[in-house]
Amino acid sequence: MAGPLVVPPPPPGGPQPMQKTAEVIGTFRPVKLFKLSTPETSVTSLDFDDTGELLVAACDDDSLQLYNAKEGKHVKELLSKKYGAHLARFTHHSQSILYASTKYDETIRYLSTHDFQYLRYFKGHTAPVTSLALNPASDTFLSCSLDNTVRLWNLSSPSPQARLNLSTPHLAAYDPSATVIAIASSSTASILLYDLRNYDKPPFSTFDLRHLSPPATPPTWTKLEFSNDGKSLLLATSAPSGHILLDAFKGHLKAYCTFPPAKTPFLASRAAPGSTLGPLGQGDVCFSADGRYLVGGSGAEHDAVVWDTQGTVAEEGERKVLRPMASLPCRGRVSVCEWNPRYNMLATGDREVVFWLPDEHVGVRDPGGRE
């Protein structure tokens, strides 16, 4: 078994080791912008490696873009013209990634970024893959597909360890302890919780969300994510009502995370494979590393916003509403969003990839745009 990861100190001006997130969350500003191959190219997924040093972006021009987050540099471009690329995810080894195909077939590919050699192919899905989730504690991962199956894989074997046949299981996530998996079914408006040690048994809990997010065509759910403290479960949506924050144990609604006044979420102009939605499996919002804050798109053509999950929840009739606590100015749209696991750093993407760092010289900007 590999020893503990040793992360070298960051260079001056680069991402710094984590301060208390609450002290800097409202001061994030863009510090580096990377253009893509053409102005029409879009980012469909982002992922940091375990060390927080590397970032991979999948783009709809059938490319994978690799960045050094600590040094703020583009490292290399990896082309997947024949198969397309979406949902690129680092394994626990920083020089290898998994990604889903968007054309030719539905194979999941395991790629060495060092020499651009495929290490393994994971075949079996018969329709586009909509979600890839890596086990935080082992070399296993989950894949969801429009073929109405969820498959559990191990990086060491091309055959799945298990298969679940479910209705529209489009999204999946591991809890931080890697003992529970959550699977979101958009057509039934439910989230199923399975004990990973007994995944061949029925779910031990089912969250019925029909009263919160009725089934829609096309589905509006875009991402499923546990907070790092395991207490909250985020169901990101493209619905005007906002993202849904749940109690991870009981499935009770904590709040709808709504958007600034006069702003409603856009439906992304590009479509994920087999979908009329934007990039399924990624979404435009994510948890901060401490599990307290959500950062995501503002619902407009520019800016990001921050929600404090410990903030005041307003009662609006039967709705519990959590409004943004701060706006993070950015000239472009935030369509995908990922928090660095090791540093106070944020990456977002749309027509370009943007790195964000706290700026001690700015004040907190309220959602109305004032500092």
Side-chain angles (χ1 to χ4, degrees):
M1 184 175 176
L5 292 169
V6 178
V7 181
Q16 302 299 309
M18 286 198 182
Q19 299 169 256
K20 191 174 181 180
T21 308
E23 298 174 356
V24 297
I25 187 64
T27 66
F28 276 78
R29 298 294 185 269
V31 295
K32 195 80 174 182
L33 182 151
F34 300 92
K35 294 188 178 298
L36 303 175
S37 59
T38 70
E40 294 76 33
T41 301
S42 294
V43 178
T44 62
S45 72
L46 295 170
D47 192 52
F48 285 102
D49 75 334
D50 286 349
T51 70
E53 183 173 343
L54 297 175
L55 176 82
V56 63
C59 301
D60 64 3
D61 64 351
D62 306 326
S63 73
L64 298 163
Q65 305 294 334
L66 194 63
Y67 303 90
N68 187 310
K70 285 175 61 180
E71 297 180 4
K73 295 179 180 178
H74 180 261
V75 176
K76 66 174 68 174
E77 178 182 63
L78 305 170
L79 296 178
S80 183
K81 292 295 185 181
K82 182 176 181 180
Y83 309 111
H86 182 42
L87 300 173
R89 302 286 184 254
F90 279 103
T91 69
H92 296 301
H93 310 280
S94 295
Q95 291 190 332
S96 61
I97 59 173
L98 291 166
Y99 70 92
S101 307
T102 61
K103 55 187 181 181
Y104 186 74
D105 63 16
E106 316 307 338
T107 299
I108 299 165
R109 290 174 162 80
Y110 181 22
L111 176 69
S112 167
T113 60
H114 172 66
D115 54 10
F116 198 55
Q117 296 295 313
Y118 289 107
L119 305 175
R120 188 158 286 111
Y121 301 95
F122 302 98
K123 299 181 179 181
H125 284 301
T126 58
V129 172
T130 57
S131 180
L132 286 178
L134 273 292
N135 187 319
S138 75
D139 285 335
T140 59
F141 68 95
L142 291 167
S143 62
C144 299
S145 168
L146 294 177
D147 64 9
N148 293 324
T149 68
V150 178
R151 298 174 193 238
L152 176 66
W153 311 83
N154 191 298
L155 290 176
S156 63
S157 172
S159 301
Q161 292 183 326
R163 167 177 163 168
L164 297 173
N165 297 308
L166 301 169
S167 176
T168 62
H170 290 167
L171 303 170
Y174 286 90
D175 84 319
S177 69
T179 59
V180 173
I181 55 176
I183 299 171
S185 169
S186 57
S187 69
T188 63
S190 61
I191 296 176
L192 312 176
L193 299 185
Y194 289 84
D195 183 336
L196 189 57
R197 296 161 297 186
N198 299 292
Y199 51 74
D200 56 336
K201 303 291 193 299
F204 67 83
S205 186
T206 299
F207 300 159
D208 185 346
L209 306 184
R210 285 174 294 178
H211 62 298
L212 302 178
S213 179
T217 303
T220 58
W221 297 359
T222 58
K223 183 181 185 178
L224 192 63
E225 181 183 359
F226 283 94
S227 59
N228 277 348
D229 59 10
K231 296 179 180 179
S232 299
L233 183 60
L234 168 68
L235 180 61
T237 83
S238 59
S241 54
H243 306 301
I244 298 172
L245 186 65
L246 301 170
D247 179 287
F249 298 103
K250 301 295 185 182
H252 300 155
L253 177 69
K254 287 189 170 183
Y256 287 101
C257 300
T258 60
F259 298 89
K263 294 180 180 180
T264 55
F266 53 82
L267 283 174
S269 58
R270 61 200 177 283
S275 170
T276 54
L277 270 179
L280 275 175
Q282 181 75 32
D284 66 342
V285 63
C286 64
F287 276 108
S288 60
D290 63 358
R292 175 173 175 176
Y293 299 96
L294 293 171
V295 182
S298 69
E301 292 295 324
H302 53 83
D303 296 352
V305 290
V306 180
W307 294 269
D308 182 355
T309 66
Q310 297 179 15
T312 301
V313 174
E315 300 282 348
E316 296 186 359
E318 297 181 356
R319 285 166 47 89
K320 297 179 179 179
V321 172
L322 182 65
R323 301 198 181 281
M325 59 158 282
S327 175
L328 307 179
C330 177
R331 73 181 191 187
R333 192 165 76 176
V334 173
S335 294
V336 291
C337 186
E338 191 75 6
W339 192 278
N340 190 305
R342 295 277 177 164
Y343 301 102
N344 269 328
M345 179 186 182
L346 180 70
T348 62
D350 185 60
R351 303 294 186 186
E352 50 210 12
V353 173
V354 181
F355 288 173
W356 302 64
L357 292 174
D359 184 344
E360 63 183 12
H361 302 294
V362 302
V364 177
R365 193 172 187 240
D366 70 36
R370 299 180 297 276
E371 289 192 7

